[in-house]
Amino acid sequence: MHRGWSTEGVGKVDTIWALVWHFGADGKVDSVVNPSADQHQMDSFIWANFSLAALPDRLAP
């Protein structure tokens, strides 16, 4: 677990994160996720400070 915060840009964010590792049968890491304790706060901060590419561009390989 770790704390992440920012006061840069619009608004601020201060939340706890849990870094979750998953290991496959071979003992190697096959995925990692980093969920926030307050996803709504993170969503608001990200949407206020960053714009997404158009949908077709986000889906392109």
Side-chain angles (χ1 to χ4, degrees), residues 29-46:
V29 175
D30 63 7
S31 66
V32 180
V33 294
N34 196 19
S36 169
D38 188 342
Q39 189 62 52
H40 294 292
Q41 180 188 60
M42 283 307 307
D43 289 345
S44 294
F45 181 78
I46 295 298

Side-chain angles (χ1 to χ4, degrees), residues 4-21:
W5 71 93
S6 178
T7 56
E8 296 293 321
V10 177
K12 67 176 185 168
V13 65
D14 189 354
T15 188
I16 300 297
W17 297 86
L19 193 58
V20 181
W21 301 66

